Amino acid sequence: MPPMSTFVIHTPSFNTLSFNFSHNSYKFPRTCSTWAMDFRFSQTLNNSSGNIKKEEGVSVKQFSIPSIPKFETLGSNNLQFDRLQPSDQELGPGNKFEFGNFVAREAVLDEEYWTAAWLRAESHWENRMYERYADNFKRKFAEQEFNAVKRRCKSQSGESCACIITVKKEQKNVKHSILKSVVGTLDLNIRYLLLGETFPGERVKAPLFCSIKKTPPSRYGYISNLCVAKSARRQGIASNTLYFAVQAAKSNAGVTQLYVHVDRNNNPAQILYQKMGFEMVETANSRFLLEETYLLRLQM
């Protein structure tokens, strides 16, 4: 498989970005877990491609995850890596967000899922590329992530996951292969809080087998696996892909909270989310490793 260059993640649960910003520690305004404070999403992001579009003129309907046939484990041997990126006419109507020379939308083809998985593998191994057998590990990681994301995108028990990708915009007389067209990706998960939780991962006293509160107030969105191809950075792809995910989360009935985990030492990522209106949740009772991550929340 031809190598690709990418950036930004460490685990399926934690988002990590790598821009060239100052390494000074960035402090978020803290919010208590009682959710007593009122947050507003009013910040406009500026990037090299211009201002991010606001809600006017952007049509993002509620995500309806298409039903997937009985899942079978797939590998790279089943895919066509020279397959051309489908045109807008072939894809038909659907939720998408255009910015600059790119379009953010939900992945449709297996080759798009695979390329998203490969971007995540590249970002995971980006700082360890000189380790022995790194290429073999990346391929194994991508294979596992490809099958995992296909499983996650099957709606289960009222919860859902959408693999969002950013692709190069279609141009006249120019056709890109899917492998070279997908330049960014993230997962948007719609979930329910467990019984007794007020935020994801909160350490609460609950029965051994916790139940899920399937009521509108307990429904929330969760962002993970944000990464951008190394060759396509500094073009507003991370911020605009995230913006599209925020709008998609808003369109889901009952979802008023959007969460993301970010590495405590990743100041560029913290700045990106802060610009989008995310604030840090007080996680003194969280089950997660507090010395490694922050839990951020956007009140929508």
Side-chain angles (χ1 to χ4, degrees):
M1 166 152 187
M4 295 184 64
S5 299
T6 60
F7 97 133
V8 277
I9 334 215
H10 288 277
T11 71
S13 298
F14 306 145
N15 292 11
T16 314
L17 300 172
S18 302
F19 298 100
N20 293 323
F21 286 97
S22 168
H23 294 285
N24 295 330
S25 177
Y26 185 85
K27 295 184 178 180
F28 275 92
R30 290 180 177 269
T31 65
C32 63
S33 59
T34 59
W35 298 2
M37 299 188 69
D38 180 27
F39 307 106
R40 302 290 181 184
F41 173 59
S42 59
Q43 185 73 30
T44 300
L45 284 176
N46 294 316
N47 52 63
S48 59
S49 298
N51 290 336
I52 288 184
K53 299 179 182 178
K54 301 306 286 183
E55 294 185 20
E56 294 79 19
V58 180
S59 175
V60 181
K61 300 179 181 178
Q62 180 169 347
F63 260 88
S64 56
I65 309 300
S67 59
I68 300 175
K70 184 177 180 181
F71 183 80
E72 296 180 359
T73 301
L74 300 175
S76 57
N77 294 333
N78 306 95
L79 306 176
Q80 302 175 25
F81 291 111
D82 58 349
R83 185 172 183 175
L84 296 178
Q85 184 67 34
S87 64
D88 294 338
Q89 290 75 19
E90 292 172 322
L91 288 173
N95 299 322
K96 62 182 180 180
F97 175 49
E98 298 184 8
F99 59 96
N101 296 320
F102 306 98
V103 179
R105 60 172 175 81
E106 187 179 351
V108 176
L109 304 175
D110 281 345
E111 287 80 5
E112 293 176 336
Y113 283 103
W114 171 267
T115 308
W118 182 257
L119 286 177
R120 297 168 188 185
E122 282 278 303
S123 67
H124 184 75
W125 288 91
E126 182 173 344
N127 298 323
R128 296 182 287 174
M129 58 184 299
Y130 298 109
E131 289 188 17
R132 193 177 184 183
Y133 307 125
D135 286 342
N136 291 335
F137 288 133
K138 282 193 292 188
R139 289 187 177 90
K140 184 175 182 180
F141 184 103
E143 191 92 24
Q144 293 174 341
E145 175 62 14
F146 168 65
N147 287 293
V149 73
K150 291 294 295 291
R151 286 193 293 269
R152 289 196 297 269
C153 289
K154 293 176 64 178
S155 181
Q156 297 178 353
S157 302
E159 300 185 337
S160 62
C161 173
C163 176
I164 294 174
I165 58 173
T166 294
V167 300
K168 295 177 181 178
K169 187 180 293 185
E170 183 181 3
Q171 300 176 354
K172 292 182 179 179
N173 303 321
V174 178
K175 282 285 188 178
H176 298 285
S177 67
I178 293 176
L179 195 63
K180 295 181 178 180
S181 181
V182 178
V183 293
T185 179
L186 63 77
D187 286 344
L188 171 61
N189 305 271
I190 304 299
R191 301 173 177 173
Y192 289 96
L193 294 170
L194 296 176
L195 185 64
E197 286 185 336
T198 57
F199 59 86
E202 183 179 12
R203 190 181 296 277
V204 296
K205 294 182 179 180
L208 180 61
F209 299 99
C210 295
S211 60
I212 298 176
K213 298 189 299 181
K214 293 186 179 180
T215 58
S218 68
R219 206 162 183 238
Y220 68 94
Y222 184 81
I223 297 289
S224 61
N225 295 325
L226 174 60
C227 62
V228 176
K230 191 173 183 179
S231 61
R233 295 175 191 173
R234 295 191 174 277
Q235 300 184 64
I237 293 173
S239 54
N240 281 282
T241 305
L242 180 59
Y243 173 76
F244 175 69
V246 169
Q247 300 307 309
K250 286 181 179 180
S251 69
N252 282 267
V255 176
T256 59
Q257 314 281 341
L258 184 61
Y259 293 90
V260 64
H261 278 96
V262 62
D263 192 282
R264 284 184 173 228
N265 298 317
N266 196 330
N267 296 321
Q270 296 172 28
I271 292 172
L272 171 66
Y273 290 115
Q274 186 268 342
K275 286 182 176 179
M276 291 296 294
F278 284 82
E279 298 192 14
M280 187 172 67
V281 177
E282 181 57 61
T283 55
N285 293 318
S286 174
R287 298 193 302 267
F288 296 102
L289 300 177
L290 301 181
E291 69 275 10
E292 294 183 0
T293 64
Y294 288 129
L295 176 64
L296 310 183
R297 178 179 66 206
L298 173 65
Q299 178 78 28
M300 299 184 296

